[in-house]
Amino acid sequence: MFIKKMSVLLFTALLVMGITGCGNTEKDSKDPKLLLGFSQIGTESAWRIGNTLDIEQQAENYGVGLMLENANQKQENQIAAIRRFIAYKVDVIAFSPIVEDGWDNVLKEAKDAGIPVILVDRDISTDKSDLTTCLIGADFYNEGVMAGEYLLRKADELGLEQINIVEITGTENSTPMMQRQAGFFDTIGADERMNVLESIDGDFLKSRGAECMRYLIDTYGDSIDVVFSHNDEMTIGALPEIEKAGFEPGKDIIIISIDGGQEAIDILKQGKINCVVECTPKLGKALMETALKLKSGEEVEKLIHPEEVYFSDEQDTSQIMPRGY
Ligand code: GYE
C-alpha cells in the first residue's frame, strides 16, 4: 500500500518539477531532491490527519519523495517502518514517536547506516543525544500553562472558592501527555482553590474520552467543576456524556481542550467548550526544509517550536478564522 502511495507521490513530485521547469537536467527529472521516510503514529485525531495531509502537501511543494507509513497506534509498527526505511536507504528518516521510551536500538541502526533522523511532533527519552538531529514540534508545556492560566482567570471571574478538576490525559508516556500535564499543574498548583479529583488516561481517542467521562460522572457526580482534556477528540467524546447526565458543558462544567481543530472551535462558538489551546499540526514546511538541509550537510536548528495561541469565551469567537484541520 505505501509503495503505491510512494510512487504516486514520486510521480507528482516529478510532475511538479517538470511543470515548474526546475527539473531540467537528466538527473533531476528522474530523482526527487531527496527521499524521506516518515513514520506517522496513526489516525487517532483530526490533528493527526491534518498533520499527515500537511506533510504530504509540503513534500509535493518541495519536490521531496515521501515514503509514508501509518503505524496504527503501535510502537512496534513504527520500529518496523524505520527498519524498512533503513533497508530502502532513504536519505532522511522522520517519525513521530508514539511514546518516549524504547527507541535506542532502532535509532542506533539508523545512525550506523548513516541516515539522519528528525523527530516530528513528539520527543524521545534517551541518554544518547546523538541518535537524532532535531525536534520539530509544539511546546506542549506551554500549552498546559495556557490552559492553567485560563482556568485561573475563569475562577476569578466566577468568584469560585473551590474548584474540582478532572483531567483526561493523552497517551501515557507520550510527550504531549507528560508536558501538558506538567504545564497545567505547575500553573494551578499553588492556588488553594484548585483540587484535582482524578487524572485518567484517555489515550487521545474519542471513544476513550467518552468512557472516561462516564466513569468520572459515575464516580464524582455533580462535584466536577472542570474537565481538562488533553485533546479535542477526547473532549468531543466526553461532551455528550456530560449532557446525558443532565449537565450543561460550558456552564455547569468548565471545559478546557487542546488542539484547536475546526470541530472543537465550532463547539467553542456554541458555548459548550470554554477554552481551546491551539496545537498546530502544520509541521510539514519546517520538516521539508530541515530534511533538505540535512541532505546537503548543513547545520539544522535543534528545536523548532511553532507559535501557538489559545481561543476562549473571553474573546469574540465569531472572529476565529477557519482552522484548516
Ligand atoms: O494533541 C492529539 C494527537 O502529538 C500533538 O496527538 C499531538 C497530539 C494531539 O493525537 O490530538
Side-chain angles (χ1 to χ4, degrees):
M1 173 64 189
F2 83 88
I3 299 273
K4 197 168 147 213
K5 183 155 221 174
M6 185 188 74
S7 51
V8 171
L9 284 166
L10 284 178
F11 178 73
T12 322
L14 292 177
L15 206 67
V16 169
M17 286 156 72
I19 291 167
T20 55
C22 53
N24 50 7
T25 66
E26 180 67 0
K27 186 169 187 306
D28 283 352
S29 64
K30 285 211 186 94
D31 302 323
K33 287 184 203 150
L34 83 101
L35 188 54
L36 173 68
F38 176 59
S39 166
Q40 180 59 287
I41 291 176
T43 46
E44 75 280 7
S45 61
W47 190 99
R48 187 68 51 203
I49 292 164
N51 178 248
T52 304
L53 279 174
D54 182 61
I55 288 172
E56 286 176 329
Q57 267 162 19
Q58 295 298 344
E60 273 187 44
N61 292 349
Y62 281 81
V64 166
L66 183 66
M67 285 176 81
L68 174 70
E69 287 222 32
N70 177 341
N72 291 311
Q73 272 32 72
K74 290 209 168 66
Q75 182 174 30
E76 71 225 47
N77 292 346
Q78 292 202 285
I79 292 174
I82 295 171
R83 293 212 163 104
R84 279 191 290 277
F85 298 151
I86 297 170
Y88 204 86
K89 298 193 170 53
V90 299
D91 297 298
V92 178
I93 292 173
F95 77 115
S96 298
I98 183 160
V99 291
E100 291 206 346
D101 296 327
W103 302 102
D104 279 15
N105 290 344
V106 73
L107 292 180
K108 170 91 172 33
E109 291 167 33
K111 186 168 185 277
D112 291 346
I115 305 176
V117 176
I118 302 172
L119 294 167
V120 178
D121 166 30
R122 301 184 183 177
D123 206 354
I124 58 168
S125 145
T126 179
D127 46 19
K128 300 180 190 65
S129 62
D130 60 346
L131 294 178
T132 57
T133 55
C134 61
L135 167 64
I136 303 167
D139 184 343
F140 301 127
Y141 184 86
N142 190 47
E143 292 170 356
V145 169
M146 284 194 268
E149 286 174 348
Y150 169 82
L151 183 55
L152 293 174
R153 290 195 301 276
K154 191 75 180 173
D156 290 346
E157 180 200 313
L158 298 175
L160 300 174
E161 273 167 20
Q162 197 192 333
I163 299 156
N164 293 321
I165 303 162
V166 294
E167 183 190 35
I168 307 179
T169 69
T171 307
E172 211 181 334
N173 189 31
S174 71
T175 318
M177 180 266 147
M178 292 188 282
Q179 293 187 5
R180 285 173 182 169
Q181 181 173 70
F184 183 73
F185 285 176
D186 286 353
T187 306
I188 62 162
D191 190 304
E192 282 175 357
R193 295 169 296 180
M194 304 289 167
N195 175 38
V196 179
L197 295 171
E198 187 162 340
S199 292
I200 182 167
D201 177 10
D203 205 13
F204 285 128
L205 298 170
K206 184 176 172 183
S207 57
R208 283 284 303 145
E211 261 170 52
C212 292
M213 200 65 234
R214 271 200 296 279
Y215 157 79
L216 291 166
I217 289 177
D218 284 351
T219 311
Y220 303 102
D222 67 358
S223 49
I224 301 172
D225 300 309
V226 178
V227 175
F228 172 45
S229 153
H230 284 196
N231 84 342
D232 290 347
E233 244 56 43
M234 298 188 295
T235 310
I236 292 164
L239 292 179
E241 301 303 320
I242 295 176
E243 289 175 323
K244 271 188 245 161
F247 303 110
E248 260 192 274
K251 299 213 167 56
D252 301 327
I253 301 182
I254 298 164
I255 311 290
I256 305 174
S257 186
I258 302 187
D259 274 357
Q262 191 60 51
E263 197 178 349
I265 294 297
D266 291 342
I267 302 172
L268 171 76
K269 289 180 181 180
Q270 294 162 22
K272 293 183 185 184
I273 294 179
N274 303 81
C275 175
V276 185
V277 176
E278 177 186 42
C279 179
T280 179
K282 297 187 179 156
L283 307 173
K285 185 171 190 288
L287 172 58
M288 298 312 144
E289 287 175 359
T290 305
L292 286 164
K293 279 189 191 161
L294 287 170
K295 170 104 198 257
S296 57
E298 284 173 58
E299 284 279 305
V300 297
E301 275 178 65
K302 285 262 157 246
L303 184 62
I304 299 181
H305 279 329
E307 287 276 318
E308 293 178 333
V309 296
Y310 64 88
F311 307 101
S312 77
D313 54 9
E314 300 155 300
Q315 73 191 99
D316 176 0
T317 55
S318 69
Q319 299 303 310
I320 302 173
M321 300 298 282
R323 302 290 299 144
Y325 61 99

